[in-house]
Amino acid sequence: MSGEEAGGGRVVLVGAPLGNIGDASARLREVLATADVIAAEDTRRLSRLARDLGVTVRGRVVSYFEGNDERRTPELVEALAGGAVVAVVTDGGMPSVSDPGYRLVRAALDAGHPVTAAPGPSAVTTALALSGLPSDRFVFEGFLPRTGSHRRSRLRELATEPRTLVFFEAPHRIAGALADLAAIFGADRPAAVCRELTKTYEQIRRGGLAELAEWATADEPRGEITVVVGGAPAGPAARPDDDELRAAVARRETAGTSRRDAIQAVADEYGLKRRDVYTLVHSAQ
């Protein structure tokens, strides 16, 4: 599949197995064996993937990951200009989803080079399908901000989103992220934590956000994690009595949310004015 034979350089986004090698497609094998250049998120993982598939990689292999993508992209566009077929492969799933593949796609299109795909597995749609939550309309949010304050700010923006939400999260941040989700979205909002999809130790944990936060704190799950959260119910929830409103604020504070943010989250959840919830909480003290 040289660039000259194919009529000019082009980018091929290649979907790699999430974990189970049996999910590799025939086109994945073909592209790995014939591409002129392979831009891999991790060159060692690419070597292992090719070995497991029994594929001999004849093209030039370069690393392409968040951190070197700004420098590497012009080199790859230059290769395209010379007629090369450039394959993009991530550690698992489809390139250009929460990885630097997007930068090359945009640069290639801007330079007039075609982009195509050898589609394959996706952690986003796999987790969504396994979650048991509505999948007819959903929003993919990628990774949440790393720091707690920025994460909570982003979640407040999403608290009333009616569509199912899908997030990626790192193992060392999953407990904190779930606690913030429970505090801002509500303890009983249904969700699923999908860990190590298609691998030997695949695990799907379903339940309310508070329950999942407790589990993650106790079990410290490892591996690659995708979180699926049910959308906000239509319209504000029915207003509970004053004691329950105070308790709702207290639960969020216990989960680590500041009082100000807890009051705002409860006000948003029940369609109340923030100052009314503030007065209610402070009148009991």
Side-chain angles (χ1 to χ4, degrees), residues 9 14 16 30 103 107 150 158 186 190 209 244:
V14 183
E30 177 191 357
R103 187 186 294 273
H150 290 122
L158 296 170
L209 284 168
E244 176 53 32

Side-chain angles (χ1 to χ4, degrees), residues 171-193:
H172 63 282
R173 292 196 299 267
I174 185 62
L178 288 169
D180 284 345
L181 279 160
I184 295 170
F185 283 23
D188 297 327
R189 181 82 73 93
V193 178

Side-chain angles (χ1 to χ4, degrees), residues 201-219:
Y201 298 104
E202 175 182 282
Q203 181 182 30
I204 315 295
R205 185 88 180 199
R206 305 173 182 87
L209 284 168
E211 174 191 343
L212 292 173
E214 292 177 5
W215 161 75
T217 300
D219 281 22

Side-chain angles (χ1 to χ4, degrees), residues 46 78 81 83 93 108 113 139 144 172 182 193 224 239 241 257 266 285:
L46 171 64
E78 184 177 351
H113 301 293
V139 179
L144 286 167
H172 63 282
V193 178
E224 296 181 355
R239 185 193 188 284
D241 60 33
T257 303
V266 171
Q285 296 179 346

